[in-house]
Amino acid sequence: MEVKLLTEHYSDDNYRTLEGYKAKGGYEDLAKAFKMKPEDIISEVKASGLRGRGGAGFPTGVKWGFLPNNGETRYLLCNADEGEPCTFKDRMMMERAPHQLIEGMIISAFAVNSPKSYIYIRGEYVYATRVIEKALKEAYDAGLLGKNIMGSGFDHDMDVYVGAGAYICGEETGMISSLEGKKGQPKLKPPFPAVQGYLKKPTIVNNVETLAAVKYIIRDGAEAYKKHGTEKSTGTKLFSVAGDVNKPGNYEVPLGYPMIDLINNECGGMKNGKKLKAAIPGGTSAPILNAEEVERATLDYECLAEMGSMLGSGSIVIMDETRCMVDMLKVIAHFYHHESCGQCTPCREGTGWLHKLVSGVVNGTAQVSDIDLLCEVANKMKGRTICALSDAAALPVLGIVPKFRDEFQFFIEQGYSKVQGRANA
Amino acid sequence: MLKCTINGKEVEVKEGTSIIEAFREHSEDIAHYCWHPGLSVAGVCRLCMVEIEGNPRLQIACNTPVTDGMVVTNQSEMVKDAVKWGLDFHLINHPLDCPICDQAGECGLQDQYMKFGQYDSEMGQAKVKKKKVVDLGEKIVLDTERCILCSRCVRFTEEVSKTNELGIFNRGDHSEIGTYAGKPLNNDYAVNTVDICPVGALTSKDFRFRQRVWFLKDKPSVCTGCSTGCSVDVYYNKEGMWRVKPRHSEVNGYWMCDEGREIYKSTNVMTTDFVGERGSAKAVKKENRLTQAIHINAGDKNYKTATESLNSLKEKLDSYSKAALVVTGQYTSEEYDALLGFWKSQFGTDNVYHWANNEAQFNDFDGLLIRGDKNPNTKGLLQALEKHGITAKKDVTSLSDQDLVVVAGPENQWVYDDIHVIAKALASNKKVIWMSACHVDAAEQAGGHFHFIPTKTFAEKSGTFVNFDGREQSFEAVDLFVDQALSLTEAVALLKGESVELSETNKVISVSNEFVHERGQL
């Protein structure tokens, strides 16, 4: 069943204005937060077990705790560069409830004592950018941003920065490079952003959903928030469901919710009554699950990790029996080939190589031995680069190829798709 | 000091040392491309992988500092596999045009493949095609296909020359090095990017296609381009000198300026028609190297060997009552000592002139290496003058009606703007002995009685230069390229009537070009 915590008022068109937002109790949690001590907010977030919603799932409170106490200016960055294919939750959150994000960010900024924050929005999200910009203006006019917010003595400025549409700028250090006006390329770690990030100052980077969730942890308290979800994966999460289901869209469910229930109940079952073949649980970089695994999977960090996949950004791609996995992998490989920043050699050359190998299968130039080569190349790209893009490119290969090897073999030997037949080959 | 274990060896390193530095300090081989000791850490080639005990993931040695008690190896199977695949990733789109590549023989890819690779490539797909000949500026040509995007050159223009001409454009495997529009790579240190390029992507227009590096020998020397006195390696074979590259030292770090790279041209005698950019003011014809003594009397040229010429001069020395000496800052301290000592005993200390050329600019400094004093040994000259109690005069042009003027002329004469003025002024004297490594057209055309004696260039003699801040730098002769050339010391000895061991002068390199196995360091 859906638990509408963040998305409670999303159906209300007025919710995106300051007036409509305040009517539903908006900015009351900010007032509550200002009465707390910053360190108490951090410990509350730690206690809630909130984990980063952008993909890596790192505990938010712990991340905040990494900030050094050296008196340097701290920056809070909101990562709204939602680039993972098939993810569209942040977009909805920004378009439907900009003030929810802004409030969450002010609370977070107050907690980590940051005077300045930026919302880094993906370049394609033109409408979301406009909504956020309008909301920021409203917030400034109402004294919710700027000097001495709500008489608390806390000053905070917030700005929007629009990216240029590179996937890699969703990686936190890539985003920082881009924000600094440089080419969007991840930075070498260490130093980590919490120590030396934006403009070499301590920086916290959080996802839109993470920052918005902070508001609800303050509203209800850590204990109440923890009641949702499982022991290690607490709270609710938005899942963007795409693909062959009757009702694709964003659904907020508690973590630990069975995946098959999400498909059958919330999403209205498989489209045209077709059979489920496979699903990608966390964006294209997560290894694929076959139908049998989908039946068993629950939507939380632990279960999916155990199954060799990951929760990632929470974008679920459902594929029915008519989908050709060779085709699917070709699309994915092309994406990562196109998006590799080109900095680290294994990723720069490897993503292109994977793409060429999979294209070879479709074009009829591949040999059967290329299937093993495909897996080997992917294996050698994994874990050897600055950021996780190389892994993101390798993991779908390592997920799809072994599970659907017969389709690859058939394609190479027969020259057309096993699933779709000769006409589509 | 920190204790750590490298490949089973227990060693001590300074605090703050990175693992790759520790490996190199203790001469353990470690594969790398992007790391360079003179540049910041980029960590992008992913070749310097090491396994650290207690860490399940391989780490890059360049960005990981050594900690006390660390046990680290690059000999494990996991590391070897990572390096092998790292090399394969570098090579899959690298054109194997080694037979026509100028870097062959001193190429990081070749060397590291032989050391760490030696596998058969599994790449069966078409390679990425990129631009082959990209003109980056006056001095450098880029081959984007060969480039492995280590970003060394980009970091060099960012961090060392601070001129920011280079950048990496595009993404993924279509990334390319390039210059920003309207900003060619023409800075004063640009050719350093060629030196640090681990592959044949950046090549120097001056050197490319001239020689195969495995036929070049190299010897250390000191740059004569200015008073900084950078440590250099001179590359030569029996056909002459071919290039000068910086050698790491405290004086110059890892770099040298492009002007300094021209110094070999005053010595090349055989193979180039022109040295320097054709048509530019610095162009010098190859015949400009003085190969034997020339006596010019009222337009007639009369050739002799340098020894004969000096012997005939020796006999008349006592007959000159009015004599003057003109010295430039381009000789070694030992030569000054011999020359000034001889002059003092023969003619006294009155008539010694220091020809300084652009003295007003002597203190100019560009903040990195280039100094306004274009002589390698002005300090040494001043020290020698002081030692012999000589106060040198400056106004060389006022010299006239002398029976004899001896000029220790400049070796790099193109930096002496006033050479025409001086030569013309000196022509009014009865006899001028002009010692120099090069022909001086200005003097030849000035009329009067000029006698040219060929001297050795910096590469042909050993000695000491004292640089701008008083550092004494000794160097050995690289080889002899002109059999008639004498050092000032030898010339003075001949004038004194002493027997000179001219063994070096007879040993002009005539051996065949040998194959050099080890060439340079990445």
Side-chain angles (χ1 to χ4, degrees), chain A residues 22-101:
Chain A
K22 276 192 160 168
K24 306 284 187 198
Y27 289 107
E28 280 170 16
D29 306 319
L30 179 61
K32 184 177 172 191
F34 279 145
K35 291 193 191 101
M36 297 168 73
K37 279 192 217 145
E39 50 271 30
D40 291 344
I41 300 177
I42 296 181
S43 43
E44 198 70 19
V45 172
K46 258 185 205 166
S48 75
L50 175 66
R51 293 169 69 166
R53 300 292 195 235
F58 193 80
T60 307
V62 179
K63 199 182 208 178
W64 291 1
F66 288 152
L67 286 168
N69 278 319
N70 53 6
E72 284 191 6
T73 315
R74 294 162 168 186
Y75 289 96
L76 175 71
L77 309 182
C78 170
N79 188 342
D81 189 77
E82 188 174 42
E84 189 72 32
C86 303
T87 314
F88 43 86
K89 63 181 177 67
D90 296 346
R91 174 181 172 181
M92 185 181 73
M93 295 186 70
M94 288 187 287
E95 288 177 1
R96 304 302 301 183
H99 285 287
Q100 188 186 49
L101 171 63

Side-chain angles (χ1 to χ4, degrees), chain B residues 383-517:
Chain B
Q383 284 173 1
L385 287 167
E386 202 184 318
K387 179 184 165 195
H388 291 281
I390 299 170
T391 314
K393 299 175 198 164
K394 290 283 165 64
D395 49 344
V396 186
T397 46
S398 69
L399 268 175
S400 60
D401 298 328
Q402 301 286 327
D403 296 331
L404 173 71
V405 179
V406 174
V407 183
E411 178 179 319
N412 299 331
Q413 53 169 307
W414 53 74
V415 298
Y416 273 67
D417 299 336
D418 60 351
I419 197 160
H420 288 265
V421 182
I422 301 285
K424 209 162 198 175
L426 292 181
S428 63
N429 296 290
K430 285 187 186 130
K431 188 180 181 103
V432 182
I433 309 285
W434 189 297
M435 296 191 281
S436 156
C438 294
H439 274 280
V440 181
D441 294 344
E444 284 186 34
Q445 289 153 14
H449 306 285
F450 278 92
H451 300 257
F452 295 102
I453 310 276
T455 56
K456 290 178 175 174
T457 60
F458 75 102
E460 293 162 299
K461 61 194 175 194
S462 56
T464 308
F465 286 148
V466 184
N467 83 347
F468 71 99
D469 70 349
R471 179 189 289 261
E472 289 184 9
Q473 305 199 87
S474 299
F475 55 93
E476 291 299 314
V478 172
D479 216 325
L480 195 73
F481 301 96
V482 170
D483 60 356
Q484 289 282 305
L486 300 167
S487 67
L488 293 187
T489 319
E490 287 161 347
V492 167
L494 283 173
L495 286 177
K496 282 184 185 167
E498 291 168 7
S499 71
V500 176
E501 180 64 44
L502 292 179
S503 60
E504 259 187 312
T505 60
N506 300 319
K507 218 175 52 186
V508 178
I509 40 170
S510 54
V511 288
S512 62
N513 285 338
E514 295 161 21
F515 190 89
V516 179
H517 292 272

Side-chain angles (χ1 to χ4, degrees), chain B residues 46-207:
Chain B
R46 317 305 287 185
L47 271 189
C48 60
M49 293 279 191
V50 288
E51 194 173 346
I52 302 166
E53 213 174 81
N55 195 331
R57 274 175 70 128
L58 296 181
Q59 298 293 317
I60 48 171
C62 59
N63 197 42
T64 316
V66 173
T67 54
D68 205 24
M70 186 182 254
V71 180
V72 48
T73 177
N74 70 345
Q75 299 297 314
S76 69
E77 284 310 307
M78 193 155 67
V79 175
K80 283 183 176 167
D81 180 66
V83 173
K84 184 238 142 184
W85 275 92
L87 275 167
D88 205 5
F89 282 128
H90 275 96
L91 282 163
I92 56 171
N93 284 319
H94 185 82
L96 293 178
D97 55 359
C98 307
I100 55 156
C101 177
D102 234 31
Q103 191 84 358
E106 54 179 359
C107 170
L109 274 181
Q110 285 182 335
D111 291 351
Q112 310 233 0
Y113 174 80
M114 295 312 285
K115 238 180 221 171
F116 304 103
Q118 302 213 358
Y119 56 84
D120 294 329
S121 176
E122 307 192 57
M123 173 77 172
Q125 280 67 33
K127 290 178 188 254
V128 176
K129 292 274 175 289
K130 291 183 193 169
K131 295 189 248 358
K132 284 301 270 185
V133 186
V134 183
D135 196 348
L136 289 189
E138 282 169 14
K139 299 171 252 186
I140 291 164
V141 176
L142 166 70
D143 183 323
T144 41
E145 273 188 356
R146 290 179 192 156
C147 176
I148 56 165
L149 296 159
C150 67
S151 79
R152 276 184 178 188
C153 53
V154 179
R155 280 177 283 148
F156 176 84
T157 59
E158 254 170 45
E159 296 160 13
V160 182
S161 71
K162 298 196 171 66
T163 44
N164 296 299
E165 294 102 337
L166 292 176
I168 297 179
F169 298 88
N170 292 330
R171 274 198 314 225
D173 59 10
H174 32 271
S175 298
E176 279 175 25
I177 297 283
T179 48
Y180 294 99
K183 211 175 175 193
L185 182 58
N186 282 344
N187 68 62
D188 292 339
Y189 296 88
V191 185
N192 285 302
T193 59
V194 175
D195 294 344
I196 57 176
C197 181
V199 294
L202 293 172
T203 44
S204 152
K205 285 186 186 172
D206 186 45
F207 179 70

